[in-house]
Amino acid sequence: IDNEKEIKNSQDINAFTYRTHTCGELRPMHNGKSVTLCGWVQYQRMSKFLLLRDSYGVTQCIVNNNQINFNDVPLESIVKINGTVSLRPTNMINSKMSTGKIEVVIDKLEVLNVADKVPFNLRVHQKPKEQLRMQHRYLDIRFPDMQNKLRTRSSMLHNMRKFLIETYGFVEVETPTLFCRTPGGAREFVVPTHYPGLFYSLVQSPQQFKQMLMAGGVDRYFQVARCYRDETTRPDRQPEFTQLDIEISFTNLDHIIKMIDQLLYETFTKPLPNPPFKRITYTEAIENYGTDKPDISYDLRFKNVSHLFNNNDEAILSAFVLPYPAELGKLSSKYKDKIKELKQKNNVRVILNENVSKELSNDMKCQIQSIVGENKAFILALGDKEKVCTCLGEIRQQIAVLLQSKELIEINKDIEPLWIVDFPLFTEGDNGLETCHHPFTAPHPEDFHMLDSEPLKVRALAYDIVMNGNEIGGGSVRVHNADLQEKLLRMLNIDASKLMHFINALRSGCPPHAGIALGIDRLITIACDADSIRDVIAFPKSHEGKDPLSGAPNVITEDDKKYYHINIVK
Amino acid sequence: IDNEKEIKNSQDINAFTYRTHTCGELRPMHNGKSVTLCGWVQYQRMSKFLLLRDSYGVTQCIVNNNQINFNDVPLESIVKINGTVSLRPTNMINSKMSTGKIEVVIDKLEVLNVADKVPFNLRVHQKPKEQLRMQHRYLDIRFPDMQNKLRTRSSMLHNMRKFLIETYGFVEVETPTLFCRTPGGAREFVVPTHYPGLFYSLVQSPQQFKQMLMAGGVDRYFQVARCYRDETTRPDRQPEFTQLDIEISFTNLDHIIKMIDQLLYETFTKPLPNPPFKRITYTEAIENYGTDKPDISYDLRFKNVSHLFNNNDEAILSAFVLPYPAELGKLSSKYKDKIKELKQKNNVRVILNENVSKELSNDMKCQIQSIVGENKAFILALGDKEKVCTCLGEIRQQIAVLLQSKELIEINKDIEPLWIVDFPLFTEGDNGLETCHHPFTAPHPEDFHMLDSEPLKVRALAYDIVMNGNEIGGGSVRVHNADLQEKLLRMLNIDASKLMHFINALRSGCPPHAGIALGIDRLITIACDADSIRDVIAFPKSHEGKDPLSGAPNVITEDDKKYYHINIVK
């Protein structure tokens, strides 16, 4: 275990304990000092050496007499060692350990808790399978990388709080999680009460509360908020998750974006480019990358060649090409199959570079080639614009992996946040208009005149922030006018009577306001280079929403069923 | 509204908004400055003066021409004012307002949101009834005292985090709220899942998780944790509440107490005595005050006079007196009735001061008088010790109110925290032994030998902290040995099979550890001199657990019932 954490001298990490030092802090300057260390038995050899580990590092302890015997102490047992710091002989110095220049000569060893045989070894660098790690999470989090992730999470959230509270006068307000159903949106867990047939809903976000706080004069609100969604079928989701929820009165889109730029720049644990971060419109994102959360760590963009396929200005058929370095050569049948799959899924026509001569006229080929550049190969997709771009976006990801494996594309290892703005306000659902963000999002003032006539063309004052292909946050300017809010709810076919408290709040003198929510689990995952959000959550649930430790969810008692007036229907 | 908040100069409270200043910060130094203010129309008069309010104060704005007309703008509407700061004429200076030396001459007034007629006036100092305040909470929190409470809560919690993280290297870890039932303890809300008959439980505290974190090497843990208890029938309780949850490895009772002393001393918003705070045992608390959460802001203590009523050392009958200043005179029939009620409830014999001569021998009376002091009256209670002390404790509170109303007792207005230690480990329940704290509490090592023979005499390494009669926190040294934990669960008749993940964690090499949880809602209530915890919670539920805004809990849809495999039984 090499990556022992540097101990900040300013923190008194040993206060309120009976150790004098951690296992990571002793240095030659402590030579001769009497110390008390506590930790896990990491390793022992020759009845003489004992490696003692805690979450701050490892210290080698040795016995100089035969009175202290730790042969029978199982690995991972908890011991307390009183001893004296001593310099290691020069040939015994371990430069890989932060404590590698010293050792502790044991005066007294006390076994505080004996460990049973543990299901996996904490010394191996290769980790056991996730299932086993989850079942014994209390062991798994002893791994230094897990310690590091949990500690990074804590300190990053603390720095965000300091930024918001100390620098900019925000107020953290805790809002309820037991509330009423929010119309529209994700499926919400329900919580039975002892009133027959009456249930709370677990909030999917503090949206209504933060807007009511704006009406209430808490004009700079934030909360590190626990949110709940019953979406266990989607991979890499958790039934409960954390978001940094922010809302400001008397503000606008540019102000919110500027604030988040600065917040991330100052608190993210990895270097970010200087603000302002890049900003593109939803339409640009779709037309260049085929997705509203593009990975821009590599430079592959579409070109719109629709004009070549249409005789007048009104583009009936959309045609986009994805240019890429011609050195890649022919695609293997594996990649061709994948592209075929994507093409069928999206129902568009796709022409691979090697089939261009066959499927396009020579004139058309030359025109496209002159657009993408002479030294480029390209893939062409034709059909409905949205489907063409989506399909080409998915192909783009495949081609990028391929190019990267052949070192034909430069990958920016740095993280570059990207704002997507000008989302549409509505999308067409099965039963009429649906909201793209949520029903409280303000229409773009420039598009206001189209609200009745062409609602699908109306842009929203909504914004998402994306990091290397992951959406890490999103927000909007909110509707503050009660009449407009009621109109939008009607357009969305949402029963406003369920939201009267909210409408009344808007009608009571509610400031214009806007806000955002950052997905903390995802953000920390990126900050820690973790494989999954489960790695930055202390006790995550499995894909299926099950708790690998306790086996929850479980059956409940007959008494509970009676108290909550419910019966199970199998 | 006079108590405008002082603005910290270090905070940029106007960043990311289109105001230049708050309504509380303009001073004569700003004379001549062009400013933009946003806020609520608090008051207007003579078509000339407009009082503009935000959460930082009130600024008087005036019109110097007839082009700006705000006569039709209802109170509590939101306006944006561009104007110029001007010094008030000397005779117009308002020394009660922090902005009382200036006014803003309006250049431009824009109504951002018109308010409907609001159900109560924000200018009156007398607040509307709680029911109405709760129904329109977004209005209620505009009152400066409510703003102050929410802001105090935020800053106190932030200071606690700084103390723990920055000074002492604690790590904040978020633990799940959807978990399995904890055996024993309060009733937990259940949450149905889409697996037929399987439910999560909402955690009543992060107890199991924090102990597993100790096993996992997160040796200095804390969390501002949301907890849930279905206890809506108890007054002044909320179905969800916040606790500051703390746990440390390699520590003991004295260390934890020392830490909390320091934490409260440094972060509580009111002055506290220098640490260490007072500490008494459970037995002392009962024998002196008749409760384990005594109010020691006044000096009224019992005297044990049992020896006068028993012929040998073994006290069969307990006798305690409550001495009080004789100047109080005879008790009114109202108080006598109350005492009679308490006496019947507790099933003990109570002799009031005025009946002493009638009910006791002269000799006994003299002996007691010499114990309590000549200038004291007293109330005597006789019977089972626990009942006698409980009854006398309740009488003590009544007498204290009476003495205070007649100014016959000194009340210490300062807050004095008090530790109660040496609680019993067990209490006798209807079905055998029950835990006094929770099943994970360690027995006192000095009493270990009585665990099998006289378990009711075993003390626990548990501690509560009390402020002026309110329990604001409690904790214990935990059992870290798996065998002892299993033994205690057996003694408590708790099925250990439901806790195997937890027992396994103890058996995997778990450090000795101890911790505490502070009730944040209660603590802030005291810090803010609030009447109820509902005043320091942004959106509290009513006594009955109902949400006065949305009406939650509500009926759920047939689709939900089907998805969660439940039927309602009326």
mmCIF file of all heavy atoms in Angstrom, chain A residues 16 55-56 142 174 177 199-200 215 217 219 228 230 242 251 545 554 560 564, chain B residues 16 55-56 174 177 181 199-200 215 217 219 228 230 242 251 545 554 564:
data_model
loop_
_atom_site.group_PDB
_atom_site.id
_atom_site.type_symbol
_atom_site.label_atom_id
_atom_site.label_comp_id
_atom_site.label_asym_id
_atom_site.label_seq_id
_atom_site.Cartn_x
_atom_site.Cartn_y
_atom_site.Cartn_z
ATOM 1 N N PHE A 16 -8.800 13.239 20.776
ATOM 2 C CA PHE A 16 -9.937 12.446 21.248
ATOM 3 C C PHE A 16 -9.761 10.942 21.012
ATOM 4 O O PHE A 16 -10.738 10.200 20.885
ATOM 5 C CB PHE A 16 -11.255 12.928 20.601
ATOM 6 C CG PHE A 16 -11.391 14.412 20.523
ATOM 7 C CD1 PHE A 16 -11.601 15.063 19.301
ATOM 8 C CD2 PHE A 16 -11.292 15.194 21.670
ATOM 9 C CE1 PHE A 16 -11.712 16.440 19.230
ATOM 10 C CE2 PHE A 16 -11.411 16.573 21.605
ATOM 11 C CZ PHE A 16 -11.614 17.189 20.380
ATOM 12 N N SER A 55 -5.821 4.008 8.338
ATOM 13 C CA SER A 55 -6.234 4.641 7.084
ATOM 14 C C SER A 55 -5.287 5.733 6.628
ATOM 15 O O SER A 55 -5.529 6.374 5.607
ATOM 16 C CB SER A 55 -7.643 5.207 7.235
ATOM 17 O OG SER A 55 -8.521 4.159 7.540
ATOM 18 N N TYR A 56 -4.217 5.952 7.397
ATOM 19 C CA TYR A 56 -3.289 7.017 7.049
ATOM 20 C C TYR A 56 -1.951 6.474 6.581
ATOM 21 O O TYR A 56 -1.097 7.228 6.147
ATOM 22 C CB TYR A 56 -3.106 7.958 8.244
ATOM 23 C CG TYR A 56 -4.451 8.385 8.792
ATOM 24 C CD1 TYR A 56 -5.074 7.667 9.821
ATOM 25 C CD2 TYR A 56 -5.133 9.469 8.246
ATOM 26 C CE1 TYR A 56 -6.327 8.030 10.291
ATOM 27 C CE2 TYR A 56 -6.388 9.833 8.714
ATOM 28 C CZ TYR A 56 -6.984 9.112 9.741
ATOM 29 O OH TYR A 56 -8.227 9.468 10.191
ATOM 30 N N ARG A 142 -11.596 -0.632 3.564
ATOM 31 C CA ARG A 142 -10.238 -0.519 4.133
ATOM 32 C C ARG A 142 -9.187 -0.335 3.037
ATOM 33 O O ARG A 142 -8.074 0.100 3.325
ATOM 34 C CB ARG A 142 -9.897 -1.779 4.951
ATOM 35 C CG ARG A 142 -10.657 -1.876 6.254
ATOM 36 C CD ARG A 142 -10.215 -3.074 7.078
ATOM 37 N NE ARG A 142 -11.254 -3.421 8.040
ATOM 38 C CZ ARG A 142 -11.349 -4.599 8.649
ATOM 39 N NH1 ARG A 142 -10.455 -5.563 8.387
ATOM 40 N NH2 ARG A 142 -12.326 -4.820 9.501
ATOM 41 N N GLU A 174 -32.293 22.609 4.864
ATOM 42 C CA GLU A 174 -32.719 21.221 4.721
ATOM 43 C C GLU A 174 -34.221 21.193 4.442
ATOM 44 O O GLU A 174 -34.994 21.777 5.183
ATOM 45 C CB GLU A 174 -32.423 20.457 6.015
ATOM 46 C CG GLU A 174 -30.949 20.432 6.368
ATOM 47 C CD GLU A 174 -30.757 20.238 7.857
ATOM 48 O OE1 GLU A 174 -30.989 19.121 8.340
ATOM 49 O OE2 GLU A 174 -30.399 21.219 8.549
ATOM 50 N N THR A 177 -38.028 15.216 2.834
ATOM 51 C CA THR A 177 -37.989 14.161 1.817
ATOM 52 C C THR A 177 -39.326 13.427 1.773
ATOM 53 O O THR A 177 -39.615 12.755 0.791
ATOM 54 C CB THR A 177 -36.873 13.158 2.102
ATOM 55 O OG1 THR A 177 -37.050 12.614 3.406
ATOM 56 C CG2 THR A 177 -35.511 13.841 2.041
ATOM 57 N N PHE A 199 -50.378 8.077 1.715
ATOM 58 C CA PHE A 199 -48.951 7.826 1.546
ATOM 59 C C PHE A 199 -48.192 9.136 1.355
ATOM 60 O O PHE A 199 -48.679 10.061 0.721
ATOM 61 C CB PHE A 199 -48.694 6.974 0.290
ATOM 62 C CG PHE A 199 -49.232 5.570 0.367
ATOM 63 C CD1 PHE A 199 -50.599 5.330 0.345
ATOM 64 C CD2 PHE A 199 -48.369 4.483 0.447
ATOM 65 C CE1 PHE A 199 -51.104 4.035 0.402
ATOM 66 C CE2 PHE A 199 -48.861 3.189 0.507
ATOM 67 C CZ PHE A 199 -50.226 2.952 0.487
ATOM 68 N N TYR A 200 -46.978 9.190 1.890
ATOM 69 C CA TYR A 200 -46.022 10.207 1.458
ATOM 70 C C TYR A 200 -45.381 9.715 0.157
ATOM 71 O O TYR A 200 -45.397 8.520 -0.148
ATOM 72 C CB TYR A 200 -44.891 10.396 2.461
ATOM 73 C CG TYR A 200 -45.271 10.850 3.842
ATOM 74 C CD1 TYR A 200 -45.038 10.024 4.940
ATOM 75 C CD2 TYR A 200 -45.789 12.121 4.071
ATOM 76 C CE1 TYR A 200 -45.336 10.441 6.231
ATOM 77 C CE2 TYR A 200 -46.088 12.542 5.363
ATOM 78 C CZ TYR A 200 -45.859 11.699 6.440
ATOM 79 O OH TYR A 200 -46.140 12.115 7.712
ATOM 80 N N ALA A 215 -39.664 32.255 -2.967
ATOM 81 C CA ALA A 215 -40.827 33.075 -2.614
ATOM 82 C C ALA A 215 -40.721 33.556 -1.177
ATOM 83 O O ALA A 215 -41.229 34.608 -0.819
ATOM 84 C CB ALA A 215 -42.114 32.274 -2.817
ATOM 85 N N GLY A 217 -37.959 34.399 0.435
ATOM 86 C CA GLY A 217 -36.875 35.327 0.730
ATOM 87 C C GLY A 217 -35.537 34.683 1.066
ATOM 88 O O GLY A 217 -34.592 35.385 1.413
ATOM 89 N N ASP A 219 -32.896 33.958 -0.556
ATOM 90 C CA ASP A 219 -32.597 34.283 -1.954
ATOM 91 C C ASP A 219 -31.336 33.641 -2.503
ATOM 92 O O ASP A 219 -31.065 33.740 -3.695
ATOM 93 C CB ASP A 219 -32.553 35.806 -2.139
ATOM 94 C CG ASP A 219 -31.580 36.469 -1.174
ATOM 95 O OD1 ASP A 219 -31.110 35.790 -0.242
ATOM 96 O OD2 ASP A 219 -31.277 37.661 -1.353
ATOM 97 N N TYR A 228 -34.544 10.697 -4.258
ATOM 98 C CA TYR A 228 -34.994 9.313 -4.412
ATOM 99 C C TYR A 228 -35.687 9.143 -5.759
ATOM 100 O O TYR A 228 -36.539 9.952 -6.125
ATOM 101 C CB TYR A 228 -35.978 8.964 -3.296
ATOM 102 C CG TYR A 228 -35.390 9.099 -1.914
ATOM 103 C CD1 TYR A 228 -35.360 10.331 -1.270
ATOM 104 C CD2 TYR A 228 -34.839 7.996 -1.274
ATOM 105 C CE1 TYR A 228 -34.803 10.463 -0.007
ATOM 106 C CE2 TYR A 228 -34.284 8.119 -0.003
ATOM 107 C CZ TYR A 228 -34.272 9.365 0.618
ATOM 108 O OH TYR A 228 -33.709 9.484 1.866
ATOM 109 N N ASP A 230 -37.309 5.756 -8.095
ATOM 110 C CA ASP A 230 -37.460 4.307 -8.222
ATOM 111 C C ASP A 230 -37.141 3.920 -9.664
ATOM 112 O O ASP A 230 -38.022 3.684 -10.475
ATOM 113 C CB ASP A 230 -38.882 3.888 -7.840
ATOM 114 C CG ASP A 230 -38.979 2.375 -7.669
ATOM 115 O OD1 ASP A 230 -37.963 1.687 -7.905
ATOM 116 O OD2 ASP A 230 -40.056 1.884 -7.305
ATOM 117 N N THR A 242 -27.288 11.761 -4.280
ATOM 118 C CA THR A 242 -27.048 13.071 -3.683
ATOM 119 C C THR A 242 -26.909 14.123 -4.765
ATOM 120 O O THR A 242 -26.212 13.899 -5.748
ATOM 121 C CB THR A 242 -25.749 13.032 -2.855
ATOM 122 O OG1 THR A 242 -25.864 11.997 -1.892
ATOM 123 C CG2 THR A 242 -25.507 14.350 -2.146
ATOM 124 N N THR A 251 -31.755 36.591 -10.652
ATOM 125 C CA THR A 251 -30.596 36.168 -11.413
ATOM 126 C C THR A 251 -31.042 35.747 -12.810
ATOM 127 O O THR A 251 -32.218 35.846 -13.160
ATOM 128 C CB THR A 251 -29.880 35.020 -10.686
ATOM 129 O OG1 THR A 251 -28.627 34.763 -11.326
ATOM 130 C CG2 THR A 251 -30.708 33.732 -10.694
ATOM 131 N N GLY A 545 -31.222 -2.651 -6.933
ATOM 132 C CA GLY A 545 -31.720 -1.889 -5.799
ATOM 133 C C GLY A 545 -31.660 -2.664 -4.499
ATOM 134 O O GLY A 545 -32.307 -2.296 -3.520
ATOM 135 N N ASN A 554 -36.732 -6.326 2.480
ATOM 136 C CA ASN A 554 -37.141 -7.540 3.172
ATOM 137 C C ASN A 554 -38.653 -7.598 3.337
ATOM 138 O O ASN A 554 -39.338 -6.616 3.109
ATOM 139 C CB ASN A 554 -36.509 -7.581 4.575
ATOM 140 C CG ASN A 554 -35.010 -7.461 4.538
ATOM 141 O OD1 ASN A 554 -34.459 -6.432 4.892
ATOM 142 N ND2 ASN A 554 -34.353 -8.516 4.101
ATOM 143 N N ASP A 560 -46.750 -4.628 11.067
ATOM 144 C CA ASP A 560 -46.522 -3.486 10.177
ATOM 145 C C ASP A 560 -47.637 -3.367 9.142
ATOM 146 O O ASP A 560 -48.151 -2.279 8.880
ATOM 147 C CB ASP A 560 -45.174 -3.628 9.462
ATOM 148 C CG ASP A 560 -44.037 -2.987 10.252
ATOM 149 O OD1 ASP A 560 -44.332 -2.146 11.111
ATOM 150 O OD2 ASP A 560 -42.873 -3.340 10.012
ATOM 151 N N TYR A 564 -50.032 -0.147 8.905
ATOM 152 C CA TYR A 564 -50.040 0.697 7.715
ATOM 153 C C TYR A 564 -51.210 0.388 6.772
ATOM 154 O O TYR A 564 -51.256 0.899 5.660
ATOM 155 C CB TYR A 564 -48.702 0.587 6.987
ATOM 156 C CG TYR A 564 -47.575 1.227 7.776
ATOM 157 C CD1 TYR A 564 -46.483 0.495 8.210
ATOM 158 C CD2 TYR A 564 -47.636 2.580 8.107
ATOM 159 C CE1 TYR A 564 -45.461 1.089 8.953
ATOM 160 C CE2 TYR A 564 -46.631 3.178 8.845
ATOM 161 C CZ TYR A 564 -45.542 2.425 9.266
ATOM 162 O OH TYR A 564 -44.564 3.019 9.998
ATOM 163 N N PHE B 16 -23.633 37.126 -8.850
ATOM 164 C CA PHE B 16 -24.508 36.254 -9.634
ATOM 165 C C PHE B 16 -25.976 36.713 -9.610
ATOM 166 O O PHE B 16 -26.886 35.914 -9.771
ATOM 167 C CB PHE B 16 -24.419 34.793 -9.160
ATOM 168 C CG PHE B 16 -23.011 34.331 -8.884
ATOM 169 C CD1 PHE B 16 -22.654 33.808 -7.648
ATOM 170 C CD2 PHE B 16 -22.041 34.434 -9.876
ATOM 171 C CE1 PHE B 16 -21.353 33.399 -7.398
ATOM 172 C CE2 PHE B 16 -20.731 34.010 -9.633
ATOM 173 C CZ PHE B 16 -20.384 33.498 -8.389
ATOM 174 N N SER B 55 -34.280 40.100 2.411
ATOM 175 C CA SER B 55 -33.961 39.391 3.649
ATOM 176 C C SER B 55 -32.804 40.007 4.412
ATOM 177 O O SER B 55 -32.400 39.495 5.448
ATOM 178 C CB SER B 55 -33.650 37.936 3.331
ATOM 179 O OG SER B 55 -34.773 37.357 2.717
ATOM 180 N N TYR B 56 -32.276 41.111 3.894
ATOM 181 C CA TYR B 56 -31.137 41.731 4.560
ATOM 182 C C TYR B 56 -31.501 43.074 5.167
ATOM 183 O O TYR B 56 -30.688 43.668 5.858
ATOM 184 C CB TYR B 56 -29.976 41.873 3.561
ATOM 185 C CG TYR B 56 -29.711 40.571 2.843
ATOM 186 C CD1 TYR B 56 -30.335 40.271 1.641
ATOM 187 C CD2 TYR B 56 -28.885 39.605 3.416
ATOM 188 C CE1 TYR B 56 -30.133 39.055 1.007
ATOM 189 C CE2 TYR B 56 -28.676 38.388 2.789
ATOM 190 C CZ TYR B 56 -29.307 38.110 1.587
ATOM 191 O OH TYR B 56 -29.121 36.898 0.973
ATOM 192 N N GLU B 174 -21.880 10.016 3.712
ATOM 193 C CA GLU B 174 -23.334 9.880 3.556
ATOM 194 C C GLU B 174 -23.684 8.393 3.547
ATOM 195 O O GLU B 174 -23.118 7.630 2.782
ATOM 196 C CB GLU B 174 -23.769 10.527 2.239
ATOM 197 C CG GLU B 174 -23.469 12.016 2.159
ATOM 198 C CD GLU B 174 -23.315 12.465 0.717
ATOM 199 O OE1 GLU B 174 -24.330 12.570 0.023
ATOM 200 O OE2 GLU B 174 -22.167 12.690 0.285
ATOM 201 N N THR B 177 -30.455 5.777 3.530
ATOM 202 C CA THR B 177 -31.646 5.881 4.372
ATOM 203 C C THR B 177 -32.613 4.742 4.060
ATOM 204 O O THR B 177 -33.493 4.458 4.860
ATOM 205 C CB THR B 177 -32.362 7.223 4.149
ATOM 206 O OG1 THR B 177 -32.666 7.354 2.766
ATOM 207 C CG2 THR B 177 -31.484 8.379 4.579
ATOM 208 N N ARG B 181 -34.903 -3.163 8.499
ATOM 209 C CA ARG B 181 -35.373 -2.813 9.831
ATOM 210 C C ARG B 181 -34.270 -3.040 10.863
ATOM 211 O O ARG B 181 -33.539 -4.030 10.808
ATOM 212 C CB ARG B 181 -36.588 -3.674 10.182
ATOM 213 C CG ARG B 181 -37.062 -3.519 11.626
ATOM 214 C CD ARG B 181 -38.380 -4.204 11.906
ATOM 215 N NE ARG B 181 -39.521 -3.558 11.284
ATOM 216 C CZ ARG B 181 -39.895 -2.289 11.467
ATOM 217 N NH1 ARG B 181 -39.207 -1.498 12.259
ATOM 218 N NH2 ARG B 181 -40.950 -1.808 10.866
ATOM 219 N N PHE B 199 -39.854 -4.780 1.296
ATOM 220 C CA PHE B 199 -39.869 -3.371 1.682
ATOM 221 C C PHE B 199 -38.495 -2.951 2.198
ATOM 222 O O PHE B 199 -37.799 -3.721 2.850
ATOM 223 C CB PHE B 199 -40.869 -3.134 2.831
ATOM 224 C CG PHE B 199 -42.308 -3.331 2.452
ATOM 225 C CD1 PHE B 199 -42.796 -4.610 2.185
ATOM 226 C CD2 PHE B 199 -43.174 -2.254 2.375
ATOM 227 C CE1 PHE B 199 -44.130 -4.805 1.846
ATOM 228 C CE2 PHE B 199 -44.511 -2.442 2.039
ATOM 229 C CZ PHE B 199 -44.994 -3.721 1.773
ATOM 230 N N TYR B 200 -38.114 -1.708 1.908
ATOM 231 C CA TYR B 200 -37.036 -1.074 2.670
ATOM 232 C C TYR B 200 -37.636 -0.542 3.973
ATOM 233 O O TYR B 200 -38.840 -0.343 4.076
ATOM 234 C CB TYR B 200 -36.455 0.139 1.932
ATOM 235 C CG TYR B 200 -35.829 -0.116 0.591
ATOM 236 C CD1 TYR B 200 -36.383 0.438 -0.561
ATOM 237 C CD2 TYR B 200 -34.661 -0.850 0.468
ATOM 238 C CE1 TYR B 200 -35.799 0.252 -1.810
ATOM 239 C CE2 TYR B 200 -34.060 -1.046 -0.776
ATOM 240 C CZ TYR B 200 -34.642 -0.492 -1.911
ATOM 241 O OH TYR B 200 -34.066 -0.675 -3.134
ATOM 242 N N ALA B 215 -15.389 -0.337 11.411
ATOM 243 C CA ALA B 215 -14.746 -1.579 10.976
ATOM 244 C C ALA B 215 -14.001 -1.359 9.667
ATOM 245 O O ALA B 215 -13.001 -2.026 9.394
ATOM 246 C CB ALA B 215 -15.786 -2.688 10.814
ATOM 247 N N GLY B 217 -12.363 1.358 8.739
ATOM 248 C CA GLY B 217 -11.210 2.253 8.789
ATOM 249 C C GLY B 217 -11.514 3.728 8.609
ATOM 250 O O GLY B 217 -10.598 4.542 8.555
ATOM 251 N N ASP B 219 -12.049 6.183 10.571
ATOM 252 C CA ASP B 219 -11.930 6.200 12.036
ATOM 253 C C ASP B 219 -12.413 7.479 12.698
ATOM 254 O O ASP B 219 -12.472 7.553 13.920
ATOM 255 C CB ASP B 219 -10.481 5.888 12.448
ATOM 256 C CG ASP B 219 -9.487 6.827 11.791
ATOM 257 O OD1 ASP B 219 -9.877 7.573 10.870
ATOM 258 O OD2 ASP B 219 -8.321 6.822 12.199
ATOM 259 N N TYR B 228 -35.479 9.057 10.385
ATOM 260 C CA TYR B 228 -36.923 8.897 10.253
ATOM 261 C C TYR B 228 -37.470 8.058 11.402
ATOM 262 O O TYR B 228 -36.908 7.013 11.720
ATOM 263 C CB TYR B 228 -37.254 8.195 8.929
ATOM 264 C CG TYR B 228 -36.751 8.933 7.715
ATOM 265 C CD1 TYR B 228 -35.437 8.794 7.277
ATOM 266 C CD2 TYR B 228 -37.591 9.804 7.033
ATOM 267 C CE1 TYR B 228 -34.969 9.489 6.169
ATOM 268 C CE2 TYR B 228 -37.138 10.502 5.926
ATOM 269 C CZ TYR B 228 -35.819 10.337 5.492
ATOM 270 O OH TYR B 228 -35.358 11.034 4.412
ATOM 271 N N ASP B 230 -41.460 6.874 12.871
ATOM 272 C CA ASP B 230 -42.913 7.009 12.759
ATOM 273 C C ASP B 230 -43.487 7.180 14.158
ATOM 274 O O ASP B 230 -44.016 6.258 14.751
ATOM 275 C CB ASP B 230 -43.509 5.784 12.064
ATOM 276 C CG ASP B 230 -44.962 6.023 11.657
ATOM 277 O OD1 ASP B 230 -45.487 7.107 11.992
ATOM 278 O OD2 ASP B 230 -45.554 5.148 11.021
ATOM 279 N N THR B 242 -33.122 15.820 11.880
ATOM 280 C CA THR B 242 -31.698 15.859 11.546
ATOM 281 C C THR B 242 -30.847 15.596 12.778
ATOM 282 O O THR B 242 -31.102 16.171 13.829
ATOM 283 C CB THR B 242 -31.336 17.245 10.977
ATOM 284 O OG1 THR B 242 -32.182 17.501 9.864
ATOM 285 C CG2 THR B 242 -29.889 17.292 10.526
ATOM 286 N N THR B 251 -11.126 5.203 20.986
ATOM 287 C CA THR B 251 -11.477 6.304 21.869
ATOM 288 C C THR B 251 -12.221 5.758 23.078
ATOM 289 O O THR B 251 -12.398 4.540 23.213
ATOM 290 C CB THR B 251 -12.328 7.351 21.113
ATOM 291 O OG1 THR B 251 -12.452 8.517 21.918
ATOM 292 C CG2 THR B 251 -13.717 6.816 20.781
ATOM 293 N N GLY B 545 -48.223 14.718 11.617
ATOM 294 C CA GLY B 545 -47.378 14.240 10.538
ATOM 295 C C GLY B 545 -47.869 14.661 9.169
ATOM 296 O O GLY B 545 -47.454 14.104 8.161
ATOM 297 N N ASN B 554 -51.059 11.603 0.897
ATOM 298 C CA ASN B 554 -52.189 11.578 -0.026
ATOM 299 C C ASN B 554 -52.492 10.144 -0.474
ATOM 300 O O ASN B 554 -51.709 9.241 -0.219
ATOM 301 C CB ASN B 554 -51.842 12.396 -1.282
ATOM 302 C CG ASN B 554 -51.448 13.815 -0.955
ATOM 303 O OD1 ASN B 554 -50.273 14.158 -0.983
ATOM 304 N ND2 ASN B 554 -52.422 14.628 -0.600
ATOM 305 N N TYR B 564 -46.391 -1.615 -6.860
ATOM 306 C CA TYR B 564 -45.799 -1.977 -5.570
ATOM 307 C C TYR B 564 -46.484 -3.172 -4.922
ATOM 308 O O TYR B 564 -46.198 -3.508 -3.771
ATOM 309 C CB TYR B 564 -45.795 -0.765 -4.627
ATOM 310 C CG TYR B 564 -44.821 0.303 -5.095
ATOM 311 C CD1 TYR B 564 -45.255 1.578 -5.419
ATOM 312 C CD2 TYR B 564 -43.466 0.012 -5.228
ATOM 313 C CE1 TYR B 564 -44.365 2.546 -5.867
ATOM 314 C CE2 TYR B 564 -42.575 0.973 -5.675
ATOM 315 C CZ TYR B 564 -43.027 2.230 -5.992
ATOM 316 O OH TYR B 564 -42.146 3.174 -6.434
#
